[in-house]
Amino acid sequence: MSTAPIGIFDSGIGGLTVAGAIRKLLPNESTVYFGDTARVPYGPKSPDTVRRYAREILAWLLQQDVKAVVVACNTVTAHALDELRERSPVPVIGVIEPGARAAVSATATGVVGVIGTAGTVASGAYRIALQKIRPDVRVMEQACPLLVPLVEEGWFDHEATRLIADEYLQPLRRHGIDVLVLGCTHYPMLKSLLHRVVGDDVRLIDSAAETAGELAHVLNEMGIAAPANSAPTQRWVASDDAARFAKVGAVFMGGSPAPVELVDLGQVKEASSTRESSTTA
Amino acid sequence: MSTAPIGIFDSGIGGLTVAGAIRKLLPNESTVYFGDTARVPYGPKSPDTVRRYAREILAWLLQQDVKAVVVACNTVTAHALDELRERSPVPVIGVIEPGARAAVSATATGVVGVIGTAGTVASGAYRIALQKIRPDVRVMEQACPLLVPLVEEGWFDHEATRLIADEYLQPLRRHGIDVLVLGCTHYPMLKSLLHRVVGDDVRLIDSAAETAGELAHVLNEMGIAAPANSAPTQRWVASDDAARFAKVGAVFMGGSPAPVELVDLGQVKEASSTRESSTTA
């Protein structure tokens, strides 16, 4: 048992859907969410740049004495998960593997659709993860760059959103997918609209919920889940523009904006391979 | 007369509409375009952060021996133009004043609409510039965060784009605007669609074209325009992901992608107040 917090991070606010799923599934756990709003978005950045940013954030989270780290960002998971796991003394959970496992379990036709940002699709991370579990699965990927800004505008149920989703998803439907992985942390906010667009025959896989399930599994297996009588706390931290983070965060998490702390990562040294040296750096 | 290049910069690729307008109006001039694609977008970042980035880019452009600098970015113009002008030994031209002057000349009703990113609208920069020229002008501003990603997708004439533009522009039309300032460097790509949405009674002001006109005026006035027999060169420089810059750049500029240089600004010191010290830094 441990009351230490879970560290969750994303390039911005999208990972809040993962934080929300964790809060729902594991209400006794304390969390520290870090959104790197000063450097969002990571998608168009080079893998080396993304890895450097991820190491800096890992170092900062370890300074907060987290007992596990959830990489609530598809771009970071695609480029940096292995390196973060090597450097971290605590377990590191990404958003790709849990969704891929759920998709392989759910498909009957063996044709799986994946939607994500341009960066995630270009990385081929879901295709690799899916075919590692089941080599003969056919993966149809589609980049949907307009869905993130539509979510951030709050246009969850707008006719323009439906038109755009329809245009993106038509080719996947023609290929006979029976499962669609929402491969971007923003997309769970569009779940009901996407469900209407693809129809009842296509099962949607919500990576945020699957990742929360994987975290629960790891905490239990390692015996570090919080006790039932814990008094959990939630910290929200951003590297820039706390006001916008609080506003969009409230749309994502429901309820009114919570106080957001501002942290300048310029002062944080990179994570080294042991917790001791990174917390004293 | 001078054959030194014009420095043009933006947080990303949007400023290429300004570069295109400059190339069209001033075909004898050499240019160096810097797109800070490693740190795009600037809109959600704090004014202090934007000013720091702008100082770094100015220092780099001065190292390239530019004879003038065009800030082809509304966010940087709003937050940093005065400071850049103080620090620069060469003239610095922003995108806001030229558009504001053209709008005031064009309006008969005295009601001017301005569309831009959330950051530009929140800064009030156009309102301030417009009312400085004509204090009694009424300014109706509207943030249109979805238009930039639609342009970057190349959906210049899509039904979804029309629906979204219509939703953004309805309130401005109800207020009786007769001029609409395209207060974002991406928007000239949507000029014909926006014209259809607002109708013939509303004159569109293209900030890119107005800024090119202002540059021509300054070069002539200072006697530093390139001679007619010059052999102009165009350099394209980005701080990350040159491939995407080249691809989207080709959509913006027409023609096939040009070679894009990659420059890491981490190595560049900030601009100091004289050219000598910044080029030797």
Side-chain angles (χ1 to χ4, degrees):
Chain A
M1 293 280 189
S2 162
T3 55
I6 312 291
I8 307 166
F9 77 94
D10 180 28
S11 56
I13 53 169
L16 287 174
T17 58
V18 180
I22 290 170
R23 189 157 76 174
K24 198 170 155 193
L25 188 69
L26 302 166
N28 298 317
E29 299 292 344
S30 293
T31 56
V32 182
Y33 181 96
F34 183 88
D36 196 6
T37 46
R39 303 188 290 199
V40 72
Y42 284 6
K45 297 185 172 75
S46 67
D48 275 350
T49 302
V50 170
R51 278 189 284 268
R52 179 161 57 84
Y53 292 173
R55 289 194 301 267
E56 291 170 4
I57 298 168
L58 174 65
W60 184 83
L61 287 173
L62 292 173
Q63 286 172 8
Q64 317 309 309
D65 285 324
V66 297
K67 65 183 173 187
V69 170
V70 175
V71 182
C73 172
N74 282 277
T75 304
V76 176
T77 302
H79 294 315
L81 188 65
D82 291 345
E83 186 181 333
L84 294 178
R85 281 181 172 159
E86 275 168 31
R87 285 171 179 266
S88 172
V90 303
V92 179
I93 293 151
V95 276
I96 293 177
E97 289 162 357
R101 265 200 300 275
V104 169
S105 300
T107 182
T109 61
V111 189
V112 173
V114 177
I115 54 175
T117 62
T120 297
V121 167
S123 75
Y126 273 97
R127 175 186 299 273
I128 294 163
L130 286 159
Q131 294 184 336
K132 201 166 153 188
I133 304 166
R134 184 176 150 185
D136 70 333
V137 78
R138 279 177 63 210
V139 184
M140 302 294 150
E141 293 167 294
Q142 173 69 50
C144 305
L146 289 166
L147 298 189
V148 165
L150 285 162
V151 167
E152 296 198 353
E153 276 282 74
W155 291 21
F156 306 135
D157 196 34
H158 195 282
E159 174 60 13
T161 312
R162 199 197 57 72
L163 264 177
I164 289 167
D166 195 54
E167 176 137 345
Y168 283 141
L169 293 170
Q170 283 277 7
L172 301 183
R173 283 153 67 201
R174 278 198 300 272
H175 279 98
I177 61 165
D178 67 345
V179 169
L180 179 67
V181 180
L182 310 187
C184 170
T185 52
H186 280 70
Y187 297 173
M189 305 301 291
L190 298 174
K191 211 154 50 172
S192 66
L193 179 140
L194 293 170
H195 177 77
R196 289 201 306 279
V197 170
V198 292
D200 289 334
D201 300 340
V202 177
R203 165 98 178 271
L204 300 186
I205 302 292
D206 176 343
S207 306
E210 301 296 336
T211 301
E214 172 75 8
L215 172 66
H217 178 74
V218 169
L219 295 180
N220 287 331
E221 210 165 53
M222 295 182 69
I224 55 171
N229 61 350
S230 69
T233 58
Q234 323 288 337
R235 283 176 66 196
W236 311 107
V237 183
S239 51
D240 205 346
D241 203 352
R244 182 165 179 273
F245 182 99
K247 188 179 147 226
V248 186
V251 175
F252 270 54
M253 302 288 288
S256 49
V260 175
E261 304 164 46
L262 214 56
V263 166
D264 178 2
L265 276 192
Q267 308 313 316
V268 179
K269 294 263 171 60
E270 287 188 5
S272 52
S273 54
T274 68
R275 184 163 185 171
E276 285 65 45
S277 61
S278 58
T279 50
T280 57
Chain B
M1 292 278 191
S2 162
T3 56
I6 311 290
I8 307 166
F9 77 94
D10 179 30
S11 56
I13 53 171
L16 287 173
T17 58
V18 180
I22 290 170
R23 187 156 77 175
K24 201 171 154 192
L25 188 69
L26 302 166
N28 298 317
E29 299 293 344
S30 294
T31 56
V32 183
Y33 181 96
F34 183 87
D36 195 5
T37 47
R39 304 188 290 200
V40 71
Y42 284 5
K45 296 184 172 75
S46 66
D48 275 350
T49 303
V50 170
R51 279 191 283 269
R52 180 160 57 83
Y53 292 173
R55 289 194 301 266
E56 290 170 5
I57 298 169
L58 174 65
W60 184 84
L61 286 172
L62 292 174
Q63 285 172 8
Q64 316 310 307
D65 285 324
V66 297
K67 65 182 172 187
V69 171
V70 176
V71 182
C73 173
N74 283 279
T75 305
V76 175
T77 302
H79 295 315
L81 188 65
D82 291 345
E83 186 180 333
L84 294 178
R85 280 181 172 158
E86 276 169 31
R87 286 170 179 266
S88 172
V90 302
V92 179
I93 292 151
V95 276
I96 292 176
E97 287 162 358
R101 264 199 302 274
V104 169
S105 300
T107 182
T109 62
V111 189
V112 172
V114 177
I115 54 175
T117 62
T120 298
V121 168
S123 77
Y126 274 97
R127 173 186 301 272
I128 294 163
L130 285 159
Q131 294 184 335
K132 202 167 153 186
I133 304 166
R134 183 177 151 183
D136 70 332
V137 78
R138 278 177 62 208
V139 185
M140 301 291 149
E141 294 168 294
Q142 173 69 48
C144 306
L146 289 165
L147 298 188
V148 166
L150 284 162
V151 167
E152 296 199 352
E153 275 284 73
W155 290 20
F156 307 135
D157 197 32
H158 194 283
E159 175 60 13
T161 312
R162 200 197 56 73
L163 264 177
I164 289 167
D166 194 55
E167 176 137 346
Y168 283 140
L169 294 170
Q170 283 278 5
L172 300 184
R173 283 153 68 201
R174 275 198 302 272
H175 279 99
I177 61 165
D178 67 345
V179 169
L180 179 66
V181 180
L182 310 187
C184 169
T185 53
H186 280 69
Y187 298 172
M189 306 301 291
L190 297 175
K191 211 155 47 172
S192 66
L193 180 140
L194 292 171
H195 177 77
R196 290 201 306 281
V197 170
V198 292
D200 289 334
D201 301 338
V202 178
R203 164 97 178 273
L204 300 186
I205 302 293
D206 176 343
S207 308
E210 301 297 336
T211 302
E214 172 75 8
L215 172 67
H217 179 74
V218 168
L219 295 179
N220 287 332
E221 209 164 55
M222 296 182 67
I224 56 172
N229 61 351
S230 70
T233 57
Q234 322 288 338
R235 283 175 67 196
W236 311 107
V237 183
S239 51
D240 205 346
D241 202 352
R244 182 165 179 274
F245 182 99
K247 190 180 146 225
V248 186
V251 175
F252 270 54
M253 300 288 287
S256 49
V260 175
E261 304 165 45
L262 213 56
V263 166
D264 178 3
L265 276 193
Q267 307 313 315
V268 179
K269 296 261 172 60
E270 288 187 5
S272 52
S273 55
T274 70
R275 185 163 184 168
E276 285 63 46
S277 61
S278 57
T279 51
T280 56

